Amino acid sequence: AIEPFAPEHFRIARSTEAAGDAATAAGLYHRAHQIDPAQTEPLIALAGALRSQGMNVEAAGAYRSALALDANNLPALHGLGLSLIGAGQPSAALDIFDTALHIDSRDAKLWNARGVALDMLGQHGAAQTAYRTGIDIAPHDTGLRNNLGLSLALGGNSQDAITVLEGIAESPDASARNRQNL
């Protein structure tokens, strides 16, 4: 007999993943999905665990399974787009992000991811517009500002890139990677 989805199964998988064992967590999330295949949460968590292991194609499959259950699931759309970026498919990712932004145009993370896909396609001006839209929504988001700076550099605007990246690097919240990007 298959038992119904229980939060404790999910909590065990989450704590396993938090402890750094994404492979075991993926198996637990898969089991949680088998227990109750109508739930999207185990599929989204499974996909995240797969993506954290660099298994972007497999993660995309799990996200698509979640979207088959709920086509407007923003975490699944966001994750699918990121998986497609990781799999080297920025055009497909861009389509996914555009779909998600039609659902919630105020999601700064979606604007950031859209910008990354556009930068990968060499569309730096459009990418910078996406990052700036995200910054308007979340003005203190370091990831958005960092990606804007990198996009400016990729687009040949090194002086503006330096200005943006210096502002991030001087912040006490800046990571080593932020400083390295400068």
Side-chain angles (χ1 to χ4, degrees):
I2 294 181
E3 57 197 277
F5 177 75
E8 59 268 11
H9 291 105
F10 206 67
R11 279 194 297 275
I12 293 168
R14 284 266 190 233
S15 65
T16 301
E17 186 174 16
D21 190 353
T24 300
L28 294 168
Y29 291 134
H30 185 265
R31 178 67 184 130
H33 169 65
Q34 289 175 324
I35 290 170
D36 191 349
Q39 297 291 323
T40 58
E41 293 86 355
L43 287 168
I44 293 168
L46 167 62
L50 292 169
R51 200 164 65 81
S52 74
Q53 297 174 77
M55 300 172 68
N56 290 298
V57 172
E58 296 83 353
Y63 285 123
R64 285 187 177 105
S65 294
L67 289 166
L69 296 171
D70 177 5
N72 293 323
N73 187 301
L74 284 174
L77 287 166
H78 185 239
L80 174 58
L82 293 176
S83 295
L84 292 170
I85 284 174
Q89 299 175 33
S91 292
L94 187 58
D95 291 340
I96 297 299
F97 296 133
D98 288 344
T99 297
L101 284 164
H102 277 91
I103 296 168
D104 183 2
S105 65
R106 299 288 303 158
D107 187 326
K109 290 180 184 176
L110 290 171
W111 286 107
N112 191 33
R114 185 177 197 281
V116 171
L118 287 164
D119 269 332
M120 288 178 72
L121 292 168
Q123 298 176 23
H124 305 301
Q128 292 158 27
T129 298
Y131 297 131
R132 286 187 173 107
T133 301
I135 290 168
D136 287 344
I137 296 164
H140 302 292
D141 186 304
T142 304
L144 277 161
R145 293 184 299 132
N146 183 71
N147 286 347
L148 173 60
L150 293 175
S151 182
L152 288 164
L154 289 170
N157 190 343
S158 58
Q159 188 55 51
D160 285 348
I162 289 169
T163 300
V164 170
L165 294 172
E166 277 180 339
I168 297 167
E170 292 170 357
S171 167
D173 297 331
S175 68
R177 184 176 183 155
N178 295 142
R179 290 183 184 93
Q180 181 182 14
N181 287 339
L182 175 61

